[in-house]
Amino acid sequence: MSTVKTQPLNRRQMAWRSAQDIADKSLVNLGLGMPLAVADYLQPGRDVFFQSENGVVGVGPLATADKIDTDLVDAGSRRVTLRPGATIIDSASSFAMIRGGHIDVSILGAFEVAANGDLANWDMRVPDKGPLVGGAMDLAAGARAVWVIMEHTTRKGAPRLVGSCSLPLTAVRCVKRIYTDLAVVDVTPAGFVVLEVLEGMTPEELATKSGAPLTFAPGWKPLSAPPIADAD
Amino acid sequence: MSTVKTQPLNRRQMAWRSAQDIADKSLVNLGLGMPLAVADYLQPGRDVFFQSENGVVGVGPLATADKIDTDLVDAGSRRVTLRPGATIIDSASSFAMIRGGHIDVSILGAFEVAANGDLANWDMRVPDKGPLVGGAMDLAAGARAVWVIMEHTTRKGAPRLVGSCSLPLTAVRCVKRIYTDLAVVDVTPAGFVVLEVLEGMTPEELATKSGAPLTFAPGWKPLSAPPIADAD
Amino acid sequence: MAIDKRVKSAGDALADVADGATVFISGFGGAGFPNLLIRALREQGTKRLTLVVNSATHRYSLTHELIEAGQVSKVICSAARGAGKDLSPFETLLKAGKIELTCLPQGTFAEAIRAGGAGIPAFYTPVGVGTDLTRGKEVRRFGERDYVLEPAIQGDLALVRADTADQYGNLTFRYAQANFGPVMATAARLAVAEVRAISDQPIPHTQAQLPGIYIDRVVLAAE
Amino acid sequence: MAIDKRVKSAGDALADVADGATVFISGFGGAGFPNLLIRALREQGTKRLTLVVNSATHRYSLTHELIEAGQVSKVICSAARGAGKDLSPFETLLKAGKIELTCLPQGTFAEAIRAGGAGIPAFYTPVGVGTDLTRGKEVRRFGERDYVLEPAIQGDLALVRADTADQYGNLTFRYAQANFGPVMATAARLAVAEVRAISDQPIPHTQAQLPGIYIDRVVLAAE
């Protein structure tokens, strides 16, 4: 299996990389957008339950056309199926599960993550548009581990790993790990600690694309992913 | 149907008298002891649900020997049945129902009721015995209406309707109505207001058996009950 | 008289709703929207409503019809963003200051309603601490973490979509249809359910998902 | 590896319980007592336990065996009165100052455990205000009523009796057997269920009453 070199990971490759770290028998909540693809790339033999905020505990694959049931949806309004052993609870019970620390990993998209773990992922400050927070704050504050999947920089090249967030916060000091197209980064009491850097990229180059100091873990590794076509 | 005269109501007659005031389609919780008998004396045609703290919503008659199921019990550990339309919920949900004001009437036994509605019904201060509060405080604080069934005086003749309770409180200012063997009494912002006095008993005599001032409602009536053998 | 909560029409079920009522509306992601009842509330014409609804703008819910009809003065929700870049009717009213908005984290929204039905006036939660959505609210430390005090939400009316009901108001829900419906029913003075089918027989206790004592009226919603 | 929470014996299920653990025990009025697991905990011999159990003295529960065996240093409950006038073993220990006791109103007990599993560190309740059971606790007015602040309860281990389980830990309960079991499972770091039967097939979502993610180990309790 050949690996991509120097080319930043695409969105599905970022999801793939994140998926490799999901432990067997975890309960995982996947945020809208990129994180949803994580379900497609679990390591073989790992038995994982996916929870959705609307109360589905054990989301299965998307429903095929002949299996669509408009009452069986996930938090993204996608028509889904149930995996074996799935249960369904009401919203108050679902958020009790989330807030109570029963979700092993919440994987979220983000606009910015600060070196202290602060997360901004819900409000882009688009003028006059109504707010939409949904369950983002609950997941960020409630899950045992919060992981973020996001591009390392904005389209304009501004860093998304920052000293402090400029956009409204989703939760304070919550992010544990970040998967970007360029790196895998832990958020620690000492700030950002890089675990992996895109194959062929130098630590110095990664630092220039980051808005806060990076520490490189002893024995940090090159980041690569198998070829996967990006999502549309 | 002849009525008892001058003889104080027995325990089942007190339950009967209380039962006459239960409105059609109510949700009612019956405390241990005397209140349980209330279920036997509802007015004909009244459709009432009885809730039990352990989560049975729609307690039916006691189970006959051939129908006993040790998993189908009420809060008094009695083996019961379900009425049509009954549901069963867990304890947290059951007390959410109680505390949330969804019980129309909670009928409780008591040691003392004060003129301001304070209730003492859980702790007799028996030396060295462990406490047993169960759901009494929840019912007293949570039900829309709290009614008490108790003898008007202790066996030694001390009043149970008092100026202020001498025994530990179950809840403050909660009792709305008291059914005794001698009277039916409302608890109002102005104190005890007597609605009915045992047939043949004078207001003055009732007052001597009460530990706080009694007001007699305009048009107060004689209290009587059909003959019912007392419980064993 | 035997308890029987079935009523003939959604109009009958909502005939006595008053102006200024606080109204819960169930539904999430296309499942559990009580659209028959929402339509009836629009036709009934009640004004100055406060809506407590997870999303004010979900395309499958008729909530937006109440808003567009000018019947709504306030919305409590976790989502109020219209699709696309253009402003939705709700966003236009919001911009014009003609509608009031409280946005809550979805779990706080659900828990506050649950608290409203459960006799809990307020509770502490870690969610939203340090964010715009809890600005001005009391923050308190328990152990090593900060929590914010959130008040319960109670209402006058709950509109709930379920799958089946019986004469006692017991309800079942299909798949993810329950979502906010059960807690909304517990927190409202009057709770009305629209259902796909009404069972002639009592729903067995092993199947009922919400005790009928929380439901006051049941309407059949022909599909 | 496929999730499979079935373990061979109650002893295996409790082998790693440590001294000083806080242990939830389900059951009420004869229904839902996990007596197989309680017996195993006694045989395991763990010391200095804090028991969170509705009744410390119910005659159908083997809770008293743990207490008589001297394994318990504290009890949190709503009922601790032995039957009859003589002192029960619990009451004798209590009188001798050898066991600590916290008595809570039963609904506060249940809600505190629910809060412990739901990420709520504390909540206000009207129950117990002005009584001995809330002495020293914070009282606060909301609207026209006083409420007391009650802290959540969390634990290390929950022993829960249910009717059936599947390999995922999903549970069903018979009649009034659920009582405190579901919330106890949510509030414990490790939750063990004993059941009458283990289903070879996953329990359908329409029947499961507690999601298996709250249960860590399942033991068959032969009747």
Side-chain angles (χ1 to χ4, degrees), chain A residues 24-27 45-49 57 82-89 92-103, chain D residues 1-4 114 116-120 154 166-168 170 185-188 202-205 208-214:
Chain A
D24 193 22
K25 302 179 184 178
S26 303
L27 180 64
R46 296 208 171 163
D47 196 5
V48 169
F49 268 65
V57 184
L82 298 178
R83 63 153 286 166
T87 53
I88 303 179
I89 53 182
S93 302
S94 177
F95 281 97
M97 184 181 283
I98 291 168
R99 194 178 45 237
H102 304 285
I103 307 292
Chain D
M1 238 172 63
I3 293 166
D4 190 347
R114 191 249 173 207
I120 306 291
Q154 294 184 311
D166 62 20
Q167 72 184 72
Y168 301 101
N170 293 313
T186 70
I203 293 172
H205 73 92
Q209 290 170 269
L210 184 72
I213 72 119
Y214 288 120

Side-chain angles (χ1 to χ4, degrees), chain A residues 50-84:
Chain A
F50 292 103
Q51 196 259 18
S52 194
E53 299 95 288
N54 64 332
V56 183
V57 184
V59 178
L62 286 177
T64 51
D66 58 319
K67 291 281 173 60
I68 280 179
D69 188 307
T70 54
D71 289 328
L72 183 45
V73 295
D74 69 5
S77 300
R78 303 184 313 157
R79 278 78 183 264
V80 295
T81 57
L82 298 178
R83 63 153 286 166

Side-chain angles (χ1 to χ4, degrees), chain D residues 162-174:
Chain D
D163 190 45
T164 66
D166 62 20
Q167 72 184 72
Y168 301 101
N170 293 313
L171 299 183
T172 69
F173 297 91
R174 288 188 72 243

Side-chain angles (χ1 to χ4, degrees), chain B residues 24 45 47 85 87 97 99 102, chain C residues 1-3 117-118 168 170 186 214:
Chain B
D24 193 22
D47 196 5
T87 53
M97 185 180 283
R99 194 179 43 237
H102 304 286
Chain C
M1 238 173 63
I3 293 167
Y168 301 101
N170 294 312
T186 69
Y214 288 120

